[in-house]
């Protein structure tokens, strides 16, 4: 009870006990057991960015919760300055989704060199009682090199998942596998993402915090402005639209990094078809595509290029269509501002789309489900596991997904009530199974297994 101080994350769950009763009982029971095993060990989460993307989104409240439960948990960011480091890891990320990438071998020495320096930094920071949770491939080799000379218990949490085996994908898993011998456990988002390895694998799906500034309920006028957004009127860009103006309009929403796998081009094509074919009254529904300001995101070197591709796609739309499209670039420098902008956009959206070509798990889809929004997704493997067609949202199959999405936009524009039951189910299901407290007992299990 000592940890239930006002303002704590745990206190929010306790205050809303009616939603979380059983989960809280299990959380407190398992925390008691875990304390004996973990004791005063320091658990270090290491990833490569503080802002943008699912991992940075999940860690703050996950860490807060564990600290409030009495564990010593810290967060370390391994973010080498060398551009080639992130070019390599982005290429690796694409290859793990079976996208053939040139130049991976040329970039490898930069990755290895930065990782070697990272290992030396870890020697300086990690004490003998440390326990490492390494997120994704970026810090993996630095951690593996450190662990080689300084054995510590460690988990590799890989958020990337691809359910098919192909020569390209296998080659990358084989490469990463070389660095996994020092780890006691691997955590993946789904069992279908398992690859050949001797290290035992645990499955823990990603989860959200209902009380983060992203997911909380917003009232009153927005306190944030949009400094770097683009809207299209004639051939020239219009001045940045105000957030309040966007929130006051009716719009479909897509939120993601600027990345080809996220299928932003498909949303734009679908919207084009929707506006061209829709009835006059449906015209008033706009399209908002929101993502991190590409200039702010050092760990995603493709972001700028892909953003420019999206701008080009929009300028090629007819004037009638493009003047209804907003590309919202959100600064990643202010975490709370980003969270408020995305949270408000999600809260006011008329429907949320995620037409990713590949997706291991789409946190943005869960955020929209949690808000009880109509959610329309592609049949990318991870999204299909989050959304059950007709139950909590709509899943669109390939091919011709743009046509199907356009049809769905039309349906949403004129017949919103069809989604009411689905939205209710979506929210209830998220409260039960997608909040961070529901996953913490699974984390205890993995940590305890790694220690035993
Ligand atoms: N996000 C954000 N600002 C943006 C774009 C995305 O805060 O401009 C957040 C989004 O709300 C979600 C996470 O970044 O929490 C993206 O996670 P997801 O699993 O959808 O994709 P990833 O980037 O991890 O591939």
């Amino acid at each position: 009870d000592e940890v239930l101080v006002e303002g704590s994350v745990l206190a929010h769950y306790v205050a809303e006990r009616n939603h979380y009763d059983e989960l809280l009982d299990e959380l407190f029971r398992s925390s008691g057991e875990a304390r004996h095993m973990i004791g005063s060990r320091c658990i270090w989460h290491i990833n490569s960015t503080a802002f943008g993307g699912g991992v940075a989104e999940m860690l703050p409240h996950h860490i807060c919760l564990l600290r409030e439960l009495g564990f010593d948990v810290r967060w370390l960011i391994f973010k080498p300055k060398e551009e080639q480091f992130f070019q390599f890891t982005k290429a690796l990320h694409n290859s793990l989704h079976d996208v053939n990438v040139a130049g991976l071998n040329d970039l490898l020495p930069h990755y290895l060199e930065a990782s070697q320096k990272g290992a030396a930094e870890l020697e300086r920071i990690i004490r003998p009682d440390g326990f490492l949770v390494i997120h994704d491939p970026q810090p993996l080799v630095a951690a593996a090199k450190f662990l080689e000379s300084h054995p510590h218990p460690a988990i590799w949490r890989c958020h990337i998942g691809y359910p098919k085996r192909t020569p390209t994908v296998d080659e990358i898993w084989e490469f990463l596998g070389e660095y996994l011998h020092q780890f006691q456990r691997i955590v993946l988002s789904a069992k279908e993402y398992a690859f050949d390895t001797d290290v035992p694998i645990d499955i823990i799906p990603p989860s959200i915090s209902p009380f983060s500034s992203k997911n909380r309920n917003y009232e009153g006028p927005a306190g944030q402005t949009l400094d770097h957004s683009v809207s299209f009127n004639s051939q020239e860009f219009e001045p940045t639209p105000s957030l309040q103006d966007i929130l006051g309009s009716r719009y479909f929403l897509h939120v993601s990094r600027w990345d080809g796998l996220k299928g932003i081009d498909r949303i734009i094509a679908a919207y084009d078809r929707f506006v061209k074919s829709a009835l006059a009254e449906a015209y008033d529904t706009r399209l908002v595509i929101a993502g991190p300001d590409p200039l702010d995101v050092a760990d995603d070197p493709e972001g700028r290029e892909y953003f420019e591709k999206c701008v080009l796609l929009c300028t090629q739309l007819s004037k009638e269509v493009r003047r209804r499209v907003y590309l919202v670039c959100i600064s990643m420098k202010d975490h709370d501002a980003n969270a408020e902008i995305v949270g408000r956009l999600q809260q006011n959206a008329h429907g949320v789309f995620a037409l990713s070509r590949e997706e291991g798990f789409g946190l943005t889809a869960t955020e929209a489900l949690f808000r009880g929004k109509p959610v329309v997704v592609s049949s990318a493997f991870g999204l299909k596991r989050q959304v059950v067609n007709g139950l909590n949202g709509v899943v669109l199959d390939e091919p011709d997904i743009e046509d199907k999405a356009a049809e769905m936009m039309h349906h949403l524009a004129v017949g919103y009530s069809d989604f009411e039951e689905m939205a209710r189910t979506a929210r209830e299901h998220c409260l039960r199974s997608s909040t961070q407290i529901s996953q913490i007992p699974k984390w205890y299990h993995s940590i305890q297994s790694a220690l035993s």
Side-chain angles (χ1 to χ4, degrees):
D1 279 351
E2 285 168 10
V3 297
L4 301 182
V5 291
E6 201 185 340
S8 82
V9 179
L10 205 45
H12 284 295
Y13 283 100
V14 174
E16 294 193 13
R17 233 185 195 289
N18 53 329
H19 292 310
Y20 303 110
D21 231 1
E22 283 172 21
L23 294 176
L24 281 168
D25 288 348
E26 175 57 13
L27 180 72
F28 290 126
R29 192 199 58 71
S30 57
S31 299
E33 274 175 27
R35 242 171 249 127
H36 291 300
M37 183 70 98
I38 299 171
S40 61
R41 273 181 184 281
C42 179
I43 301 173
W44 288 94
H45 283 270
I46 306 181
N47 78 319
S48 68
T49 181
F51 308 109
V55 182
E57 181 67 31
M58 281 185 285
L59 283 179
H61 274 208
H62 175 82
I63 291 172
C64 277
L65 273 172
L66 285 168
R67 290 174 83 130
E68 288 165 21
L69 288 160
F71 298 96
D72 183 2
V73 188
R74 303 181 196 195
W75 183 4
L76 199 60
I77 295 178
F78 174 57
K79 192 174 185 177
K81 291 201 175 57
E82 296 84 356
E83 234 175 75
Q84 293 97 333
F85 177 89
F86 287 110
Q87 285 168 355
F88 176 83
T89 56
K90 189 67 204 276
L92 189 101
H93 177 101
N94 288 338
S95 305
L96 269 179
H97 290 96
D98 203 29
V99 176
N100 253 314
V101 183
L104 205 55
N105 285 342
D106 297 342
L107 292 165
L108 177 62
H110 299 281
Y111 174 70
L112 294 179
E113 197 189 327
S115 299
Q116 194 66 56
K117 286 189 203 154
E121 285 291 297
L122 289 176
E123 275 179 38
R124 207 171 50 75
I125 297 167
I126 308 295
R127 297 187 313 245
D129 69 347
F131 182 109
L132 304 191
V133 182
I134 304 300
H135 294 264
D136 284 337
Q138 291 93 336
L140 173 64
V141 174
K145 286 179 185 284
F146 162 73
L147 292 169
E148 235 169 61
S149 50
H150 299 77
H152 283 74
I155 291 176
W156 187 48
R157 196 323 177 194
C158 182
H159 298 263
I160 308 169
Y162 189 67
K164 290 178 228 152
R165 298 280 81 90
T166 72
T168 306
V169 173
D170 283 347
E171 200 182 313
I172 302 293
W173 283 130
E174 213 172 291
F175 165 74
L176 295 172
E178 289 297 308
Y179 297 97
L180 289 172
H181 303 301
Q182 321 294 335
F183 288 79
Q184 284 72 45
R185 314 290 290 187
I186 295 170
V187 173
L188 301 176
S189 297
K191 67 178 184 339
E192 290 79 0
Y193 301 154
F195 52 91
D196 288 341
T197 173
D198 294 334
V199 185
I201 294 176
D202 297 318
I203 306 301
I204 308 181
S207 51
I208 60 169
S209 169
F211 310 109
S212 69
S213 35
K214 169 80 49 70
N215 298 318
R216 77 180 182 81
N217 201 40
Y218 282 99
E219 284 166 15
Q224 305 299 334
T225 52
L226 301 176
D227 296 328
H228 296 109
S229 298
V230 178
S231 59
F232 307 88
N233 193 2
S234 58
Q235 289 302 332
E236 301 299 321
F237 295 152
E238 272 189 341
T240 304
S242 88
L243 178 59
Q244 207 52 48
D245 281 352
I246 294 180
L247 293 173
S249 66
R250 198 158 84 140
Y251 58 89
F252 301 125
L253 177 69
H254 167 98
V255 179
S256 76
R257 292 177 291 106
W258 304 99
D259 181 323
L261 290 176
K262 298 290 182 186
I264 302 174
D265 52 318
R266 313 211 283 182
I267 307 271
I268 295 172
Y271 185 70
D272 185 33
R273 287 170 212 189
F274 158 70
V275 176
K276 283 180 179 153
S277 67
L279 303 169
E281 71 264 29
Y283 276 2
D284 244 8
T285 315
R286 289 151 200 255
L287 176 64
V288 176
I289 299 174
D293 188 333
L295 294 177
D296 284 354
V297 189
D299 64 330
D300 189 357
E302 281 176 1
R304 180 86 224 157
E305 206 178 302
Y306 191 73
F307 172 70
E308 273 158 16
K309 186 177 165 190
C310 294
V311 172
L312 185 67
L313 285 175
C314 291
T315 51
Q316 288 164 350
L317 298 170
S318 70
K319 188 175 169 196
E320 184 70 355
V321 181
R322 74 170 176 262
R323 69 186 185 81
R324 298 186 163 87
V325 179
Y326 299 130
L327 301 189
V328 175
C329 292
I330 307 167
S331 171
M332 288 290 127
K333 292 193 178 121
D334 180 341
H335 177 264
D336 285 341
N338 164 60
E340 178 175 345
I341 294 168
V342 175
R344 282 184 184 270
L345 285 172
Q346 289 169 328
Q347 181 175 306
N348 283 27
H350 193 65
V352 177
F353 284 74
L355 302 187
S356 306
R357 292 190 164 80
E358 304 294 346
E359 193 68 74
F361 186 98
L363 211 55
T364 46
T366 296
E367 288 160 359
L369 291 167
F370 175 73
R371 284 197 182 271
K373 289 284 145 184
V375 174
V376 180
V377 299
S378 68
S379 55
F381 188 83
L383 293 171
K384 228 169 34 183
R385 295 184 78 246
Q386 293 167 259
V387 181
V388 178
N389 191 31
L391 187 70
N392 57 348
V394 168
V395 181
L396 303 176
D397 286 327
E398 313 281 348
D400 305 324
I401 194 161
E402 289 94 344
D403 286 336
K404 292 171 188 163
E407 217 174 285
M408 206 42 70
M409 286 176 179
H410 182 85
H411 194 46
L412 275 167
V414 296
Y416 187 74
S417 63
D418 290 3
F419 277 84
E420 274 173 14
E421 185 56 39
M422 289 190 224
R424 234 189 327 273
T425 310
R427 185 164 168 86
E428 276 164 22
H429 182 260
C430 278
L431 285 170
R432 262 197 323 276
S433 354
S434 299
T435 56
Q436 291 188 330
I437 53 166
S438 64
Q439 307 299 13
I440 285 183
K442 294 183 192 154
W443 274 104
Y444 290 148
H445 172 80
S446 279
I447 294 170
Q448 287 172 337
S449 307
L451 285 170
S452 58

